Amino acid sequence: MTDNEDRANDEAADPVVGLLLAAGGGRRLGGRPKALLEHRGQPLVEHAVAALRAAGCARVHVVLGARADDVRARAALDGCVLVDNPEWEQGMGSSLRAGLASLAGTGPGTRAGTGVGAALVSLVDQPGIGAPAMARVRSGYRDERSLVSAAYAGVRGHPVLLGAAHWAGVAATATGDRGARAYLREHEAEIALVECGDVARPYDIDTEADLAHLEP
């Protein structure tokens, strides 16, 4: 069996791909890229990739931006598809668009030749959201029309599963730091909420004070 055949089989068996947004420059953290902040002895980007894989995503695409060359050199991201976002300073929306575009070219498979039925979108600066929450959201996948979101005390948060049928709409509305927020608001009735407050803490690492959440 060829490598291409192996890959096609993997895609057919695993239609949900992890999409990690890790391009942020840490403006309020003195310009330290969030992907390289240390947590439990490894860069946040490694921690997040490991969580997505433990949640069942055999394939992970990672969107890089700030100091992308340093992230490549310092983080162990073997087996990931690394996506450069030269427009990362425009905000998370640009990274989401870049990531979805990379997934749309994965290869033959379940949807319009892409091999991907959905993207499980996670943020690198939320280390309190680990594999248990990601796995719960991932388990809500049914087909390319699926929209699934983690909830915390009933309030929608991350991670979010975006079925491939929604990617064009998400990309069209993803601007600034809103990400998929506008699209999800318009399609709220279609979203399956999965409560994750018992297994995850949805804090962000945005400011110097937030660094207290990181563990040695």
Side-chain angles (χ1 to χ4, degrees), residues 86-110:
E87 301 177 345
W88 64 269
E89 290 181 283
Q90 296 182 13
M92 182 172 61
S94 66
S95 290
L96 182 56
R97 293 194 306 271
L100 293 177
S102 76
L103 292 174
T106 298
T110 59

Side-chain angles (χ1 to χ4, degrees), residues 23-113:
R27 179 176 54 82
R28 288 180 287 173
L29 293 167
R32 285 174 285 177
K34 293 183 178 183
L36 291 177
L37 294 175
E38 292 283 327
H39 180 60
R40 298 179 180 174
Q42 61 183 173
L44 278 184
V45 67
E46 287 185 24
H47 176 82
V49 166
L52 282 166
R53 286 176 169 156
C57 293
R59 294 176 290 157
V60 178
H61 287 220
V62 182
V63 181
L64 302 178
R67 288 174 51 188
D69 289 342
D70 287 345
V71 176
R72 280 184 164 87
R74 293 174 52 186
L77 300 173
D78 296 345
C80 295
V81 175
L82 304 183
V83 181
D84 283 314
N85 175 20
E87 301 177 345
W88 64 269
E89 290 181 283
Q90 296 182 13
M92 182 172 61
S94 66
S95 290
L96 182 56
R97 293 194 306 271
L100 293 177
S102 76
L103 292 174
T106 298
T110 59
R111 177 182 183 269

Side-chain angles (χ1 to χ4, degrees), residues 141-210:
Y141 172 75
R142 297 296 178 266
D143 56 37
E144 65 179 26
R145 296 165 296 176
S146 296
L147 280 176
V148 188
S149 175
Y152 300 90
V155 178
R156 180 164 47 81
H158 282 90
V160 176
L161 184 140
L162 303 174
H166 301 281
W167 293 353
V170 170
T173 58
T175 59
D177 280 323
R178 292 186 301 168
R181 193 178 309 163
Y183 185 87
L184 294 176
R185 188 180 300 118
E186 293 173 3
H187 295 79
E188 193 160 358
E190 303 169 46
I191 301 172
L193 292 180
V194 180
E195 180 58 45
C196 294
D198 59 322
V199 295
R201 294 187 298 153
Y203 57 80
D204 300 309
I205 306 297
D206 282 333
T207 67
E208 292 285 342
D210 295 331

